[in-house]
């Protein structure tokens, strides 16, 4: 009895050791891109990145025409020395850390924690991960015998006028059998199904990390934009107070005959314009505050962030960042595991061409009388194999195999596209970081000159050398330059977030220190 109990486990282990039909999955190889432009002291080159950035030949496509990006491996005739090519190895399991803490803002840290705990999109994605894990468990159950209890009680009347009538026209039948069935996975159909389900579960887990990264990045960008508007509101409040004093002074000078009505009207216009700009910025701030409420999973009616003027600096991007940062991108990992699942489904489709062998059996009790149902003489059993061999399917299995191969090719292209997009996003963020830093220097010089021009224009007006129109023009230019400077600071912060997101996460402060070590 003990040996019979252990038999399914021993048999399952034996079948698992058998080769499976269909191609075994191999990670794609990709040509390493040229070094990033504009890296400077921002980030290292990625010539040694081991991230999947291209497609590979279909695993069973030996002897078929190769696509352009597949030609290197075919010409080299080896996979041991890949030259400029490298085997992909997504490292999305590496810790990303709380990258937003690089900005050293306690309010941002609190908002990120609240979003990770209560964001509904993130919770929905977590539920999808659980669904995928459960589906993998469902596929795994096919390894084992399926046993069920099929109790039955029947009372029926037979016709006495048939050719061979039963002795009794009315009879009862009671049965309590255990029914078992087990597919013998000789050709690997079940194993390939399990591979596919497991890879899909891994892809779902990677997509959860992708949603998490997008959530934290979106929240940081919205927060920085809101703080930028707070700075603009502070500038506009100071401008309104200044222009109110200008209007009061101009009104007093008009009453004394030292200013004209036109000067007073211009002062009133500038005051009203500043007030209108302040209201417009307040509307935009309210919109961003509502967006932040949704991201942290709270109602916009109860969520509020006090207006604070704070100067947040972009984090230092060290030279010599570990080259495996980009490998942590969860969307790349999800695409690679989706590709692996598609590869396994080719094996499932190929297994349909081979015989499907199952063992079925039952054991229990059957009797016409309930009093004798569980007696030894009422025992019944049956056991036997069944074989299903497709002979003519009208081309269904071949069409299904071609569909699976085409789905694999689609996954290869989608994976390759995702990697190209990833490199493009990093390059764009690096270039934008450099250009915005240069723009910030020029903007600082413009701001200093605009402020000096406003002071000089006021001084010359008080001395009677210029009209009040020159004062208005200089003040208007200074205000626009100050607001542009704030907006540029916000854009630099958001570009830093975009770079962190493109790399799949942030870096630790000791990366900066390590970068300085030769």
């Amino acid at each position: 009895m003990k040996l019979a109990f252990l038999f399914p486990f021993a048999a399952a282990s034996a079948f698992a050791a058998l080769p499976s039909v269909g191609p075994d999955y191999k990670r794609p190889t990709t040509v390493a891109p040229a070094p990033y432009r504009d890296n400077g002291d921002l980030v290292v080159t990625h010539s040694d990145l081991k991230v999947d950035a291209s497609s590979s030949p279909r695993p069973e496509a030996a002897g078929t025409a190769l696509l352009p990006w597949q030609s290197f491996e075919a010409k080299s005739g080896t996979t041991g020395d890949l030259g400029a090519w490298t085997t992909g190895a997504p490292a999305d399991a590496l810790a990303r850390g709380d990258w937003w803490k690089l900005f050293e803002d306690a309010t941002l840290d609190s908002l990120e924690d609240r979003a990770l705990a209560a964001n509904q999109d993130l919770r929905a994605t977590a539920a999808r991960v659980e669904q995928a894990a459960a589906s993998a468990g469902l596929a795994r159950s096919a390894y084992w015998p399926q046993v069920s209890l099929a109790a039955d009680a029947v009372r029926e009347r037979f016709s006495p006028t048939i050719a061979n009538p039963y002795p009794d026209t009315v009879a009862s039948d009671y049965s309590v059998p255990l029914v078992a069935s087990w597919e013998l996975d000789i050709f690997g159909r079940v194993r390939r199904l399990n591979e596919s389900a497991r890879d899909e579960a891994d892809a779902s887990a990677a997509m959860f990390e992708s949603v998490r990264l997008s959530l934290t990045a979106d929240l940081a960008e919205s927060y920085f934009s809101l703080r930028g508007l707070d700075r603009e509101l502070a500038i506009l409040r100071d401008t309104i107070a200044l222009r109110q004093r200008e209007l009061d002074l101009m009104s007093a000078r008009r009453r004394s005959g030292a200013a004209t009505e036109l000067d007073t009207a211009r002062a009133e216009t500038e005051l009203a314009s500043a007030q209108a700009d302040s209201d417009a910025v307040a509307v935009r701030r309210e919109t961003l505050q509502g967006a932040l409420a949704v991201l942290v999973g709270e109602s916009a009616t109860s969520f509020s962030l006090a207006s604070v003027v704070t100067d947040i600096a972009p984090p230092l991007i060290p030279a010599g960042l570990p080259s495996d940062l980009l490998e942590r991108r969860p969307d790349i990992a999800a695409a690679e595991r989706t590709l692996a699942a598609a590869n396994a489904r080719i094996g499932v489709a190929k297994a349909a061409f081979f015989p499907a062998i199952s063992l079925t059996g039952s054991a229990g009790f059957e009797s016409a009388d309930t009093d004798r149902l569980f007696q030894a003489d009422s025992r019944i059993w049956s056991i036997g194999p069944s074989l299903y061999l497709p002979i003519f399917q009208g081309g269904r299995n071949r069409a299904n195999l071609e569909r699976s191969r085409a789905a694999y090719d689609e996954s290869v292209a989608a994976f390759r596209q995702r990697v190209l997009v990833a490199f493009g996003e990093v390059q764009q963020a690096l270039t934008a970081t450099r250009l915005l830093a240069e723009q910030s220097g020029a903007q600082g010089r413009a701001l200093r000159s605009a402020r000096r021009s406003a002071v000089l224009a006021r001084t010359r007006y008080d001395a009677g050398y210029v009209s009040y129109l020159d004062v208005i023009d200089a003040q208007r230019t200074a205000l626009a330059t100050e607001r542009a400077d704030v907006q540029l600071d916000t854009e630099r912060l958001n570009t830093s977030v975009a770079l962190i997101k493109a790399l799949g996460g942030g870096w630790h402060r000791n990366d900066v220190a390590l970068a300085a070590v030769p």
Side-chain angles (χ1 to χ4, degrees):
M1 184 67 179
K2 184 177 181 181
L3 293 176
F5 178 76
L6 294 176
F7 174 73
F9 297 93
S13 300
F15 289 140
L18 293 174
S20 303
V21 298
D24 291 328
Y25 178 66
K26 295 181 181 179
R27 284 189 173 130
T29 54
T30 176
V31 64
Y36 288 120
R37 301 187 308 277
D38 304 303
N39 58 354
D41 293 332
L42 297 175
V43 71
V44 298
T45 63
H46 54 256
S47 59
D48 58 339
L49 276 179
K50 295 180 179 178
V51 83
D52 295 338
S54 179
S55 62
S56 67
R58 194 157 58 199
E60 55 178 317
T64 60
L66 298 181
L67 297 176
W69 60 82
Q70 301 169 348
S71 58
F72 176 86
E73 199 168 14
K75 292 177 181 177
S76 67
T78 177
T79 57
D81 181 12
L82 294 176
W85 288 56
T86 181
T87 300
D92 58 304
L94 294 178
R96 296 172 181 82
D98 299 337
W99 58 263
W100 50 88
K101 292 184 178 179
L102 290 167
F103 295 93
E104 299 181 344
D105 188 286
T107 303
L108 175 61
D109 295 345
S110 175
L111 289 173
E112 294 284 8
D113 291 340
R114 289 158 66 181
L116 292 176
N119 181 267
Q120 298 306 307
D121 286 337
L122 192 62
R123 287 185 175 181
T125 307
R128 286 193 289 272
V129 173
E130 294 178 359
Q131 293 175 45
S135 296
L138 184 64
R140 192 165 53 249
S141 68
Y143 276 129
W144 308 105
Q146 309 298 304
V147 182
S148 59
L149 177 67
D152 192 18
V154 177
R155 184 169 178 81
E156 56 185 327
R157 182 183 185 279
F158 302 100
S159 171
T161 61
I162 60 177
N164 295 300
Y166 289 91
D168 296 321
T169 57
V170 178
S172 298
D173 184 72
Y174 304 95
S175 60
V176 186
L178 287 175
V179 180
S181 64
W182 189 17
E183 179 178 350
L184 305 182
D185 191 31
I186 297 175
F187 298 102
R189 188 189 75 88
V190 174
R191 294 193 293 279
R192 292 303 189 191
L193 279 173
N194 272 271
E195 287 179 23
S196 176
R198 186 171 59 249
D199 290 331
E200 287 175 347
D202 289 343
S204 180
M207 284 308 301
F208 172 82
E209 291 299 328
S210 181
V211 171
R212 183 183 186 274
L213 179 61
S214 295
L215 167 64
T216 53
D218 290 347
L219 189 145
E221 290 180 354
S222 296
Y223 176 76
F224 292 144
S225 297
L226 183 139
R227 287 307 183 213
L229 294 179
D230 284 343
R231 290 179 62 189
E232 284 195 63
L233 283 172
I235 293 172
L236 287 168
R237 282 194 295 268
D238 292 343
T239 300
I240 290 172
L242 173 63
R243 290 182 176 174
Q244 182 64 59
R245 291 194 297 271
E246 289 279 349
L247 177 60
D248 294 341
L249 177 61
M250 198 60 58
S251 298
R253 296 187 66 177
R254 180 192 172 194
R255 287 192 295 270
S256 64
T260 65
E261 184 177 355
L262 178 60
D263 292 336
T264 304
R266 285 171 173 167
E268 291 175 345
T269 300
E270 293 304 308
L271 173 61
S273 296
Q275 291 171 335
D277 289 343
S278 178
D279 291 338
V281 172
V283 170
R284 290 165 55 197
R285 186 189 190 280
E286 185 64 27
T287 301
L288 278 174
Q289 183 172 268
L292 283 171
V294 174
L295 290 174
V296 300
E298 298 180 15
S299 171
T301 57
S302 58
F303 179 83
S304 178
L305 273 181
S307 180
V308 176
V309 177
T310 179
D311 189 12
I312 306 172
L316 176 63
I317 304 173
L321 276 177
S323 61
D324 60 0
L325 285 181
L326 185 58
E327 297 176 8
R328 299 178 307 173
R329 280 186 61 130
D331 57 338
I332 291 179
E336 188 267 338
R337 285 156 198 178
T338 299
L339 175 60
N343 177 81
R345 284 192 289 271
I346 295 177
V348 175
K350 290 199 72 172
F353 289 90
F354 294 84
I357 303 174
S358 299
L359 285 179
T360 58
S362 65
F365 300 90
E366 184 175 15
S367 174
D369 188 352
T370 56
D371 293 337
R372 294 181 295 172
L373 178 60
F374 295 103
Q375 293 181 2
D377 292 341
S378 299
R379 289 178 299 173
I380 59 170
W381 60 268
S382 68
I383 188 171
S386 64
L387 182 144
Y388 171 80
L389 178 62
I391 296 177
F392 178 74
Q393 302 288 320
R396 182 179 63 181
N397 288 342
R398 185 166 299 279
N400 185 50
L401 177 59
E402 290 304 314
R403 183 197 62 80
S404 298
R405 288 171 172 169
Y408 175 84
D409 291 340
E410 178 189 5
S411 297
V412 167
F415 169 73
R416 183 171 182 261
Q417 178 68 16
R418 174 46 49 195
V419 176
L420 292 176
V421 168
F423 281 117
E425 289 175 349
V426 174
Q427 180 60 68
Q428 291 167 15
L430 285 172
T431 301
T433 299
R434 178 184 66 81
L435 294 177
L436 288 174
E438 295 176 0
Q439 183 182 354
S440 180
Q443 186 66 35
R445 295 191 298 272
L447 178 59
R448 289 191 294 273
S449 297
R451 286 172 174 170
R452 184 166 174 269
S453 296
V455 172
L456 291 175
R458 183 67 199 190
T459 301
R460 289 174 62 83
Y461 172 75
D462 291 339
Y465 293 118
V466 296
S467 68
Y468 188 63
L469 181 61
D470 292 320
V471 176
I472 290 176
D473 184 63
Q475 290 180 346
R476 190 181 296 159
T477 301
L479 174 61
T481 307
E482 282 202 63
R483 293 183 65 183
D485 185 66
V486 170
Q487 292 165 4
L488 181 58
D489 287 345
T490 300
E491 189 173 358
R492 291 185 66 193
L493 288 170
N494 288 340
T495 300
S496 298
V497 174
L499 177 59
I500 290 171
K501 183 180 177 182
L503 291 171
W507 48 85
H508 298 288
R509 291 183 181 84
N510 58 0
D511 292 330
V512 179
L514 290 174
V517 179

